[in-house]
Amino acid sequence: MSGQGAAEFAAITSDDLVTGEGVALDLPPAGLGLRMASGLLDLLVTAVLYVAVLLLLVLATVGVDSALFALSFVATTVIVFVVYPTLLETLTRGRSLGKLALGLRTVRDDAGPITFHHALVRSLIGFVEIYATSGVLVFFAMLLSAKGKRLGDHAAGTYVIRDRVTLRLPYPPPMPPQLASWARQADLAALPTGLALGVRQYLGRVSALDPQTRHRVGTALLEEVRRHVAPAPPASAPPDQVLAAVVAERRERDLARLRREGRAPRAVDGPRLRRDGAARGRRTGLGSGARPAGRLWP
């Protein structure tokens, strides 16, 4: 296994998104069942709204010519099927009433909150794939997508996540005492964030690996790390300990920098964290969102 392959193996899963600060956001996409259930709720709300708005416009245009009546019909369609869902998802940062009820949220492909543009594209294409085809097109589109994307999501660059997820966060590895002196003097600035994330994730999963895989992946990661660290770590030090020392020292340096800037995050005790979809994630301890040993960060 190459160093790059080892880093990818240790770093992320298919549901992880990695920010530039080395924060892995575990954002599992919503399943087809949840998407269909939320869609049915939205469909019910939309149908009630459509009837109500159409009735109001019809009453307001009683006694006028047929052209104005046809215009009211078009206006009702635009308001209910385009304007309403666009404004709702924009103002709620990706939630419709159905998504809100089932704990779902629409986010960008990079895990950020959607904007008016994203919501508008989803609404325009949604009118065709949901209502014009009686939901057949959207069903097969989500069924064939690994992230349950409908055509509107593909066009807008979005997908729907489960917003109510409780995560168990592993504690970051402590500094090995015998390597503390070397780590304090080492230049770690050139270590790529992706590689550092791979090291952090490997250490978090090392106990679940069999000895052969643990040695192979750990050695490959160490070879990659040695290319970016000076001076080189002691040759006799086990790979796991060297990697733990690198992660621990990076974390301490990041925390020190944040304290100097007055931006150190508030620590939260406990083994669990309730993540709010696009806003919160699984901190890796490698970037500016690092956490000290034995603590969790919101």
Side-chain angles (χ1 to χ4, degrees), residues 142-172:
M142 291 193 298
L143 189 64
L144 296 175
S145 172
K147 287 190 172 182
K149 288 188 173 190
R150 61 179 178 87
L151 297 182
D153 289 315
H154 286 290
T158 59
Y159 76 110
V160 178
I161 63 170
R162 300 195 305 269
D163 199 33
R164 300 170 184 170
V165 179
T166 300
L167 300 177
R168 289 187 177 274
L169 306 182
Y171 292 126

Side-chain angles (χ1 to χ4, degrees), residues 18-23 193:
V18 182
T19 70
E21 297 179 342
V23 179
T193 298

Side-chain angles (χ1 to χ4, degrees), residues 200-244:
R200 176 68 179 88
Q201 296 293 81
Y202 163 75
L203 293 173
R205 302 171 181 175
V206 69
S207 60
L209 301 178
D210 61 82
Q212 183 178 2
T213 302
R214 175 176 178 173
H215 174 76
R216 183 173 68 250
V217 177
T219 301
L221 285 171
L222 179 58
E223 288 302 316
E224 287 292 309
V225 168
R226 289 173 67 92
R227 300 176 186 176
H228 304 283
V229 173
S236 59
D240 289 0
Q241 292 191 10
V242 175
L243 297 175

Side-chain angles (χ1 to χ4, degrees), residues 14-208:
S14 60
D15 290 336
D16 285 355
L17 292 166
V18 182
T19 70
E21 297 179 342
V23 179
L25 300 177
D26 187 357
L27 304 181
L32 181 60
L34 282 175
R35 291 291 304 275
M36 296 299 291
S38 69
L40 289 175
L41 289 176
D42 287 331
L43 183 62
L44 177 61
V45 172
T46 301
V48 172
L49 182 63
Y50 184 77
V51 171
V53 174
L54 182 61
L55 182 60
L56 288 176
L57 290 180
V58 168
L59 292 176
T61 56
V62 170
V64 300
D65 58 36
S66 58
L68 189 57
F69 178 81
L71 181 61
S72 68
F73 179 80
V74 174
T76 300
T77 302
V78 173
I79 291 172
V80 174
F81 294 106
V82 178
V83 176
Y84 161 69
T86 298
L87 292 179
L88 182 61
E89 288 206 342
T90 301
L91 295 175
T92 60
R93 300 172 68 85
R95 292 188 180 101
S96 63
L97 294 181
K99 291 183 180 68
L100 184 63
L102 295 179
L104 306 180
R105 182 201 293 267
T106 303
V107 297
R108 301 194 310 258
D109 283 338
D110 63 357
I114 66 171
T115 63
F116 174 81
H117 170 74
H118 298 97
L120 178 61
V121 171
R122 296 182 81 252
S123 297
L124 289 173
I125 299 180
F127 177 77
V128 176
E129 64 176 332
I130 297 174
Y131 301 104
T133 65
S134 301
V136 175
L137 190 58
V138 69
F139 174 79
F140 284 104
M142 291 193 298
L143 189 64
L144 296 175
S145 172
K147 287 190 172 182
K149 288 188 173 190
R150 61 179 178 87
L151 297 182
D153 289 315
H154 286 290
T158 59
Y159 76 110
V160 178
I161 63 170
R162 300 195 305 269
D163 199 33
R164 300 170 184 170
V165 179
T166 300
L167 300 177
R168 289 187 177 274
L169 306 182
Y171 292 126
M175 171 68 74
Q178 63 272 30
L179 293 175
S181 177
W182 165 79
R184 283 194 296 267
Q185 302 174 21
D187 180 5
L188 308 177
L191 191 66
T193 298
L195 177 58
L197 175 60
V199 172
R200 176 68 179 88
Q201 296 293 81
Y202 163 75
L203 293 173
R205 302 171 181 175
V206 69
S207 60

